[in-house]
Amino acid sequence: MGKRFAIIGAGMSGILTAIKLKERGIEDFAIYEKAARLGGTWRDNTYPGLSCDVPSHVYAYSFELKGDWSHRFSPGAEIQGYFEGVARKYGLDRHFRFNSEIERAEYRDGRWHLTIKGGATDIVDFVISATGVLHHPATPDIPGLGDFKGACFHSARWDHSAPLDGKRVGIIGTGSTAIQIVPALADRVSKLTLFQRTAQWVLPLANPPYSDDEKAMYLASPQSLQQSYDFWSARFVDTFARAVIGDQDELHKIEAACRINLEENVGDPELRRRLTPNYRAACKRLIMSDTFYPAMQKPNVELITDGIERIEASGVRTKDGVLHELDVLVLATGFDGHAFLRPIDVIGEGGLRLVDAWAHANEAYRSVAAPGFPNFFMLVGPNSPIGNFSVILISELQLAYVLQLVDLVLDGKCRAVAPSKAATQRFNAALREAMKGTVWVTGCKSWYLDRNGNPALWPWSFDRFRAEMQAPDLTDFDLAA
Ligand code: NAP
């Protein structure tokens, strides 16, 4: 009997999985998606100024490069359009199950029994979770949030019905999101107030449009496009990816570039002082922008560094007693990046619940599987190198690895496969040890850190990641006969 698959999530990794299953002639699968359409983070985020700070030519499937991106760093809507186009091209339409949130996945009698919100069910042999990392908006615990009378929304739930032009807009947060919103709104609003709790290092990266000639050249020459993909991939791997895991020379170069950016591009010494972080560059997710500092110096833009006391009907009151009156309040306050899979109730062998298995920490085996959960795999799971290089390539390498494990079952070599507990513990102990050399633990707070203070990232090189994803070491797995 043929085996059935469920993919959870219709974002970048889910679409990728569907394409690769079809490539192998596997058609018996459904892509469950809680939202009404595909796209993941590119569907959820529609805020003004949204673009991807990974170069366009790299931020695409390696087998589906695109020559006519409008800019070096693509606007979000273009990326959403790219995924929609790819899904159409590969004929995925009939596999999508939209508005179908998986509530429960239970391993019983060698198969996964899925319960979908609303009561529908499915029974599959394999689950491939592609649920992403940054999709649970974090609402700040600020008193009075519900009292605000104007429009108030999270950056990933942008309310496009709220007028912005000529309005007084407040933004809480200074992460990658807020730093993109500020320049996009500065010229539209009457007053923009940025509430900063922690200053950020900003690497000045320009985002020039590709000219028509450049686009035509890339469209006509797959080799040029491939060269650009290889060039940008290598730049990331050789510089940034090295810096974050402990290459001090590379880190100093990034720090120097950020410092020079601040010194040369923020004229007022007092504003510069308030925008100067007190931790190492790249400890938090590094910000890339050459438009943020210019925007912060516009006469209608104000930086507030006094802590927020509470939110009131007409605005935000800071601890110095000042009420900052606003028409619109944007919460660019980030995401819970550690929720992995939850709130899905995943129940593995012998009734083992994922919430219990991961009660203290998200401990996966090489990010892609967990002991006690046979034939259940994750893409971009815990400790994936998401802060290091383009997440699309990571997902591709992880999927190629996962499909080798799937093949063990499809080829009849075993009935079920899961990593052993011992191998998973060994891997996580090595992770924790290696984290000590990374920039993420040098004394800042960030969403990278879990509640134990351990970064949820990959502390080694790209070469090591690629080598580990080349082929599973089967001595680390329990294969059920
Ligand atoms: P974030 O980096 O987690 O930033 C959240 C911001 O909100 C921080 O400045 C934080 O301050 C502030 N904040 C949270 N709670 C607060 C409170 N109660 N009071 C005051 N301030 C509060 O979130 P994000 O900017 O949405 O970015 C999340 C991640 O998404 C990024 O790191 C990146 O991985 C990804 N992203 C990528 C792109 C891209 O172009 N590729 C663009 C946007 C986002 P503290 O710093 O003090 O905690």
Side-chain angles (χ1 to χ4, degrees):
M1 195 186 75
K3 302 286 188 193
R4 179 165 171 77
F5 292 70
I7 300 168
I8 311 180
M12 177 276 290
S13 295
I15 294 167
L16 168 71
T17 306
I19 293 170
K20 293 294 166 184
L21 288 181
K22 281 174 85 80
E23 229 172 66
R24 292 161 162 250
I26 297 168
E27 292 287 341
D28 190 9
F29 67 89
I31 312 165
Y32 289 100
E33 168 57 58
K34 67 182 171 189
R37 58 192 190 112
L38 62 81
T41 196
W42 302 106
R43 173 201 60 227
D44 289 350
N45 285 281
T46 58
Y47 59 77
L50 172 68
S51 71
C52 181
D53 58 19
V54 173
S56 319
H57 287 170
V58 179
Y59 200 84
Y61 297 123
S62 62
F63 53 90
E64 219 21 92
L65 299 184
K66 174 174 149 69
D68 56 354
W69 293 110
S70 68
H71 287 73
R72 182 181 294 164
F73 301 97
S74 329
E78 245 175 81
I79 301 175
Q80 174 68 17
Y82 167 79
F83 286 119
E84 286 169 0
V86 171
R88 249 191 325 272
K89 174 173 169 182
Y90 286 85
L92 305 189
D93 277 1
R94 70 183 190 85
H95 296 280
F96 288 120
R97 305 284 180 275
F98 293 119
N99 302 306
S100 300
E101 179 172 357
I102 304 273
E103 287 186 322
R104 184 183 160 98
E106 182 174 9
Y107 190 66
R108 234 177 26 235
D109 307 324
R111 302 189 84 195
W112 284 95
H113 297 246
L114 308 179
T115 309
I116 296 109
K117 197 172 190 166
T121 57
D122 196 356
I123 302 176
V124 301
D125 300 284
F126 297 97
V127 177
I128 300 185
S129 149
T131 49
V133 183
L134 298 167
H135 68 287
H136 294 294
T139 307
D141 188 14
I142 302 174
L145 193 54
D147 298 343
F148 185 62
K149 287 284 175 280
C152 175
F153 45 85
H154 189 274
S155 55
R157 300 287 182 270
W158 197 273
D159 177 356
H160 290 277
S161 70
L164 299 169
D165 297 297
K167 300 292 180 191
R168 299 163 301 176
V169 177
I171 301 173
I172 299 179
T174 50
S176 304
T177 299
I179 264 87
Q180 293 185 337
I181 297 173
V182 167
L185 291 192
D187 290 334
R188 289 180 57 186
V189 302
S190 65
K191 171 125 201 234
L192 196 153
T193 310
L194 179 65
F195 297 91
Q196 167 185 289
R197 187 165 68 180
T198 310
Q200 288 274 13
W201 288 113
V202 181
L203 196 65
L205 274 194
N207 188 12
Y210 282 116
S211 67
D212 288 345
D213 284 351
E214 282 172 309
K215 285 189 254 183
M217 188 267 289
Y218 285 122
L219 284 175
S221 165
Q223 295 94 313
S224 305
L225 194 52
Q226 186 64 46
Q227 274 166 9
S228 182
Y229 178 88
D230 295 340
F231 168 79
W232 288 110
S233 300
R235 278 261 321 243
F236 247 76
V237 166
D238 293 338
T239 58
F240 187 72
R242 280 184 203 277
V244 289
I245 60 168
D247 182 327
Q248 295 304 318
D249 286 347
E250 286 303 331
L251 192 55
H252 285 139
K253 283 186 211 162
I254 291 173
E255 278 175 335
C258 291
R259 214 168 268 286
I260 291 169
N261 184 31
L262 187 59
E263 278 160 15
E264 290 188 348
N265 295 312
V266 180
D268 173 24
E270 177 55 15
L271 180 62
R272 199 185 313 138
R273 184 188 65 73
R274 296 198 297 145
L275 287 171
T276 305
N278 61 358
Y279 55 88
R280 300 200 70 176
C283 181
K284 283 171 174 285
R285 165 65 150 77
L286 194 62
I287 307 291
M288 331 257 181
S289 171
D290 68 346
T291 52
F292 175 63
Y293 288 153
M296 288 310 296
Q297 293 167 87
K298 296 194 177 206
N300 64 330
V301 177
E302 189 179 11
L303 176 71
I304 301 298
T305 51
D306 293 289
I308 297 172
E309 176 76 29
R310 62 178 179 273
I311 293 170
E312 301 181 2
S314 56
V316 172
R317 191 173 297 276
T318 40
K319 292 207 164 110
D320 55 357
V322 175
L323 175 67
H324 304 270
E325 292 194 73
L326 302 169
D327 302 307
V328 177
L329 179 59
V330 178
L331 308 174
T333 44
F335 301 85
D336 174 359
H338 307 276
F340 290 109
L341 276 163
R342 284 147 294 184
I344 303 172
D345 189 13
V346 183
I347 306 167
E349 267 177 327
L352 175 67
R353 291 192 129 86
L354 192 76
V355 278
D356 296 328
W358 286 359
H360 302 293
N362 298 327
E363 295 205 333
Y365 174 82
R366 289 188 157 73
S367 310
V368 299
F373 298 89
N375 297 348
F376 189 108
F377 304 104
M378 293 170 282
L379 298 177
V380 200
N383 294 102
S384 291
I386 43 174
N388 317 33
F389 6 93
S390 163
V391 71
I392 299 187
L393 181 57
I394 292 159
S395 200
E396 287 185 27
L397 292 168
Q398 289 177 335
L399 181 63
Y401 176 97
V402 163
L403 291 179
Q404 294 178 58
L405 294 169
V406 167
D407 278 344
L408 295 173
V409 180
L410 296 185
D411 295 345
K413 297 205 169 76
C414 62
R415 207 169 30 78
V417 55
S420 72
K421 207 168 178 170
T424 305
Q425 283 170 348
R426 264 198 315 276
F427 176 72
N428 281 277
L431 267 180
R432 281 193 294 275
E433 189 55 33
M435 287 301 176
K436 293 177 185 164
T438 68
V439 70
W440 307 307
V441 294
T442 55
C444 69
K445 279 205 293 176
S446 78
W447 70 262
Y448 289 160
L449 304 179
D450 70 9
R451 75 188 105 111
N452 308 312
N454 291 318
L457 305 179
W458 173 264
W460 298 295
S461 69
F462 178 71
D463 287 346
R464 175 163 172 171
F465 177 72
R466 191 166 42 194
E468 291 203 0
M469 289 296 106
Q470 209 63 43
D473 174 355
L474 293 187
T475 58
D476 282 352
F477 287 87
D478 294 330
L479 308 182

